[in-house]
Amino acid sequence: MSRSYKRSIELLARAQQKIPGGVNSPVRAYSSVGGSPPFIAKAAGPNVWDADGNRYIDYVGSWGPMILGHAHQGVIEAVQKAVSDGTSFGAPTEREIALAELVTSLYPSMDLVRMVSSGTEATMTAVRLARGATGRRKIIKFEGCYHGHGDAFLIKAGSGAATLGEPSSPGVTEGTAADTLSATYNDLESVKILVEASPDDVAAIIVEPVAGNMGCVPPNQGFLQGMRDLCDRHGVVLIFDEVMTGFRVALGGAQALYGITPDLTTLGKIIGGGMPVGAFGGRRELMEQIAPLGHVYQAGTLSGNPVAMAAGLATLSAITEMPDFYDQMETKARTLTSGMQGVLDQLNLNLKFQRVGSMGCLYFTEVDVTDWQTAEVCDTDRFGVYMHSMLDQGIYLAPSQFEVGFLSITHSDEDIAQTVDAAHLSLKKAYDR
Ligand code: PMP
């Protein structure tokens, strides 16, 4: 408990002079849990170290990409080799083909794939493509799902949800909001109502096939298939946003896990092995409408960057070379789940630990979380106490109730046991037990 965060606190003060909030992505600022974020100096395997030299067991994993653990030898070597040949050419390279071949072989729904530099770019473009291909304006998204910060996604359900959305950020126009409809996760009927109200207007439904941005919410039985059927019936493009779930819940993502074929898929995080990579891909007829084959425009100076491709390739190769990779991940996740459940039972707390594969979270609520309505009532104050107590015991969790934790293949049984012990103390503290 005697950790010092002195250097991190100084760095935050310095950062705040020149960077809005001192951070380059808002959740890093710890606004929802209070306190000051550790500035990270280095990482290896399941651990990160902050600027004060404190070591943590990391469950953020750079928000998902680090499934092999940090500083994986094969990835580092591949990156070093690529860097020494030059960092960017803005021209086609062989590694891009290798990654495209690998990704399309693992995701049979993708005949063609285009690399971009972030998940946001992937989802923005997937929506543009759906609109371009269908000639329709509207998209349907789900409350509590996150698809990056493209204007079309920064929309919340308005009071008349069936008709108009409202911008959830200043700077997003009402015109944009009017084209995004919000449905309720796991509620197929809410989607049906929106589609059937204006079937000729709806270009796409975009969904996280396992929701990972309101904690961890698995799809109900029939929810994804129901949307597949609805899209087929009305010529709507079904987009699975697998930026988080791709290569995470299964090698072939949630679409493989649940056996549903989307029209378009967006990828990010693991595909870049910690470098900036996103991708979108899908059925040939759709993807052929992207420039230069078709008229739907999309481009990127650094798209398919050779260093980023090398990191992605090395990461996916390391995963595919281990035939039992996802079994091992599942075993680790089960150990953590049963450890956490044991703690909850001992403390007589009826909180919900929800997970799919190696992503999951502890909800500070007693009801099963199935959508944003059931997620948003969580006790975020107690979560903040818990999260800071975990941090003080060397367990690095995302600083928000609505983010998931990720395991890596390097998390050992000892790491997990240490985490469970820390959770015991932290929950006692959060609930005054
Ligand atoms: N889609 C999903 C499902 C995500 O979780 C995220 C990021 N967490 C994004 C899109 C956006 O990706 P990026 O932050 O790389 O722009």
Side-chain angles (χ1 to χ4, degrees):
M1 291 283 178
S2 58
R3 290 179 165 234
S4 163
Y5 302 105
K6 186 167 173 290
R7 179 95 183 106
S8 282
I9 291 167
E10 288 165 4
L11 287 171
L12 182 66
R14 186 174 143 211
Q16 282 168 338
Q17 301 304 308
K18 295 295 172 192
I19 304 172
V23 295
N24 281 311
S25 198
V27 70
R28 299 177 197 169
Y30 276 36
S31 313
S32 70
V33 290
S36 191
F39 275 60
I40 302 302
K42 64 171 186 176
N47 297 126
V48 293
W49 284 263
D50 70 15
D52 289 280
N54 299 309
R55 181 169 72 98
Y56 304 88
I57 301 170
D58 177 22
Y59 289 93
V60 177
S62 188
W63 305 91
M66 312 316 297
I67 197 167
L68 295 178
H70 293 282
H72 178 272
Q73 194 62 28
V75 178
I76 298 296
E77 280 167 15
V79 165
Q80 283 170 340
K81 164 113 192 26
V83 165
S84 64
D85 288 334
T87 53
S88 181
F89 319 120
T93 58
E94 191 168 344
R95 283 193 192 90
E96 292 162 82
I97 316 172
L99 190 54
E101 286 169 348
L102 185 54
V103 169
T104 51
S105 75
L106 299 174
Y107 288 74
S109 70
M110 297 164 84
D111 297 319
L112 297 174
V113 61
R114 166 78 41 97
M115 299 295 162
V116 292
S117 300
S118 68
T120 293
E121 266 187 272
T123 54
M124 261 170 42
T125 317
V127 161
R128 183 181 307 138
L129 176 55
R131 287 179 164 146
T134 58
R136 301 175 180 178
R137 278 186 312 138
K138 296 194 175 176
I139 61 163
I140 296 174
K141 74 175 280 288
F142 292 88
E143 241 192 319
C145 283
Y146 178 72
H147 305 291
H149 65 93
D151 282 9
F153 306 120
L154 299 182
I155 310 295
K156 58 183 181 216
S159 41
T163 49
L164 283 187
E166 287 174 9
S168 62
S169 162
V172 176
T173 66
E174 279 153 22
T176 297
D179 286 337
T180 299
L181 309 174
S182 295
T184 302
Y185 201 82
N186 276 325
D187 179 354
L188 189 57
E189 200 49 38
S190 75
V191 194
K192 258 192 195 150
I193 290 170
L194 292 177
V195 173
E196 286 168 4
S198 48
D200 297 334
D201 275 349
V202 179
I205 297 174
I206 183 164
V207 64
E208 290 179 73
V210 174
N213 286 286
M214 49 175 155
C216 183
V217 182
N220 283 347
Q221 178 84 31
F223 177 56
L224 299 175
Q225 182 64 53
M227 282 196 286
R228 179 66 278 173
D229 297 343
L230 194 62
C231 285
D232 288 342
R233 219 161 29 249
H234 295 286
V236 174
V237 176
L238 181 62
I239 306 172
F240 274 8
D241 180 356
E242 299 230 43
V243 166
M244 189 183 284
T245 52
F247 315 102
R248 168 60 65 182
V249 297
L251 183 58
Q255 53 196 269
L257 188 63
Y258 299 108
I260 311 288
T261 306
D263 300 303
L264 291 177
T265 299
T266 55
L267 295 168
K269 300 186 189 276
I270 291 172
I271 195 178
M275 296 293 285
V277 183
F280 64 95
R283 283 197 287 116
R284 181 173 298 278
E285 319 82 91
L286 282 173
M287 290 302 290
E288 282 182 346
Q289 306 212 26
I290 280 284
L293 293 179
H295 297 295
V296 178
Y297 192 67
Q298 182 276 330
T301 300
L302 294 172
S303 292
N305 174 272
V307 184
M309 293 296 101
L313 266 174
T315 298
L316 298 187
S317 305
I319 293 172
T320 49
E321 277 160 18
M322 277 173 70
D324 63 346
F325 186 90
Y326 289 90
D327 292 339
Q328 283 193 41
M329 294 297 291
E330 181 66 24
T331 303
K332 288 175 197 295
R334 279 210 186 125
T335 308
L336 181 60
T337 310
S338 63
M340 291 296 292
Q341 196 53 56
V343 168
L344 292 172
D345 293 346
Q346 276 171 42
L347 297 176
N348 211 11
L349 288 169
N350 189 25
L351 308 183
K352 300 293 168 186
F353 192 86
Q354 292 186 193
R355 76 165 176 99
V356 175
S358 59
M359 60 185 262
C361 80
L362 176 63
Y363 282 111
F364 284 65
T365 179
E366 299 200 341
V367 298
D368 289 328
V369 176
T370 56
D371 58 15
W372 176 241
Q373 241 194 335
T374 41
E376 73 172 340
V377 297
C378 285
D379 191 335
T380 51
D381 291 341
R382 288 192 203 270
F383 171 81
V385 173
Y386 170 77
M387 179 260 153
H388 273 294
S389 166
M390 291 296 269
L391 199 67
D392 287 340
Q393 294 175 79
I395 311 296
Y396 187 78
L397 300 178
S400 162
Q401 166 73 93
F402 304 111
E403 302 288 350
V404 289
F406 299 102
L407 279 160
S408 80
I409 198 74
T410 56
H411 284 78
S412 67
D413 285 351
E414 296 79 68
D415 292 326
I416 292 170
Q418 199 181 318
T419 305
V420 169
D421 285 348
H424 192 162
L425 254 174
S426 302
L427 282 167
K428 269 170 95 168
K429 197 165 167 193
Y431 283 90
D432 308 313
R433 297 284 156 111

